[in-house]
Amino acid sequence: MTSYATVQEFTEFLDPDPVPANAARLLANASRRLDQLLLGALYATSNGLPTNPELADVFREAVCLQAQYISALGDETGANANVSQLTVGNQTLARALTSRTGPVLTSRVSPEMLVLLQTTGLSPVFPIVWG
């Protein structure tokens, strides 16, 4: 799996905040999420990375934003995406979040990453369909 940002780049992005211990895994997962969002986009690559320096910079920033978001959520796997929890002393109350139309899920995609992709013209992707 190609990651679009290194732990060192993520460390610089977060400065002065500390880098999480699971930074490499966060970046790999964030890179997969970016690949998912850009499915159908066409761009030149070398070793899985964009060859255009400006595009590489956008990918790096997008992945850092996504990794920061998931780290801040404290829910790397998404297992608690629809759970609300309250702890008072030694008592914890947890419940699934719901609405009239079904479960309410915490977004697994950073709103800031989406804004970056939209303002740089990378989202939405309109793939060419052949046949």
Side-chain angles (χ1 to χ4, degrees):
M1 167 68 211
T2 300
S3 183
Y4 298 115
T6 65
V7 172
Q8 180 59 42
E9 290 165 338
F10 189 41
T11 301
E12 293 167 7
F13 175 84
L14 291 175
D15 187 48
D17 297 329
V19 67
N22 59 344
R25 188 173 60 237
L26 288 170
L27 292 168
N29 291 340
S31 295
R32 274 192 293 279
R33 181 68 68 183
L34 180 60
D35 286 343
Q36 177 191 24
L37 291 172
L38 297 180
L39 198 61
L42 301 174
Y43 50 91
T45 62
S46 175
N47 296 322
L49 298 171
T51 56
N52 179 299
E54 291 175 6
L55 188 59
D57 288 345
V58 171
F59 278 29
R60 184 178 311 107
E61 183 178 355
V63 164
C64 287
L65 286 166
Q66 177 68 15
Q68 179 187 36
Y69 177 74
I70 294 300
S71 178
L73 282 180
D75 182 19
E76 192 175 341
T77 65
N80 293 318
N82 72 333
V83 176
S84 176
Q85 183 172 313
L86 170 68
T87 302
V88 178
N90 63 356
Q91 299 295 314
T92 299
L93 173 65
R95 66 182 176 90
L97 299 173
T98 60
S99 71
R100 290 184 180 180
T101 59
V104 175
L105 301 175
T106 302
S107 176
R108 302 301 301 158
V109 178
S110 162
E112 292 302 316
M113 180 173 77
L114 289 176
V115 168
L116 175 66
L117 295 177
Q118 290 166 349
T119 58
T120 56
L122 293 173
S123 180
V125 173
F126 298 107
I128 299 171
V129 180
W130 298 93

